[in-house]
Amino acid sequence: MPDVVVTEFIEDSALADLSREFTVLYDPELVSRPEDIKLLASDAPGLIVRNMTKLRGELLAALKARFDANKARHPGLVWAKVQARLEARPDKLWSLAEMERTGGEPDVVGHDKKSGEFVFFDCSEQSPAGRTSLCYDREALNSRKEHKPKGSVMDLAAMMGVEVLTEAQYFELQKLGEFDTKRSSWLQTPPEIRALGGAIFGDRRFGRVFIYHNGAESYYSGRGFRTSLGV
């Protein structure tokens, strides 16, 4: 019987320190198997849970409540199948947790019947509040000599493990409701536009959706970015 059970990823150095003092059962996939956690926890003197283990139930409950409240976004889809897919991919749960934490309110907007993949978009009414005041990418960030923003859209999206919405995806999202009526959202910019120093963003005003451009180095407190995630 192990002295300590570790339910998800920890750094090698921390694991080595633990292992010098205790018999450790380390399974970074346990986070996706709550019944196994309960079984092991009943016998092991020590149980280490990190953020994803603690937040998993809360996150799934929030996603389910949003899924049930917005059936028009995913007609014909069943939450149980979505949850089963999520529980098999703890890395995707982490990305969804980051989407949720930064104000994106992710929800299912599509399903690929062939691959089984479910597609999540940020569905917050306004551009996610936890992702504002960012320029477009690292090149733009480095080009600013002063008054640099705290980071860039593309860097943060990469850290979250998600993709910035394309212009086409943004129009698809806007068919599901009225989004960004008071804010705006950076969008994935075509290479030919970015090569000339620009980046695109979108919003909804006067009952229609608009796509605009700015210098990629610009940033605004009222502009965030929306993302997609395939699970």
Side-chain angles (χ1 to χ4, degrees), residues 182-208:
K182 298 178 181 178
R183 291 174 173 256
S184 59
S185 293
W186 285 113
L187 301 174
Q188 198 172 134
T189 298
E192 62 271 20
I193 295 176
R194 184 65 192 92
L196 296 174
I200 63 173
F201 65 96
D203 67 18
R204 178 186 282 271
R205 298 291 191 276
F206 310 110
R208 64 176 295 177

Side-chain angles (χ1 to χ4, degrees), residues 132-135 183-184 186 201 214-215 218-224:
T132 60
S133 299
L134 301 169
C135 62
R183 291 174 173 256
S184 59
W186 285 113
F201 65 96
N214 266 140
S218 60
Y219 63 97
Y220 303 90
S221 61
R223 183 179 306 160

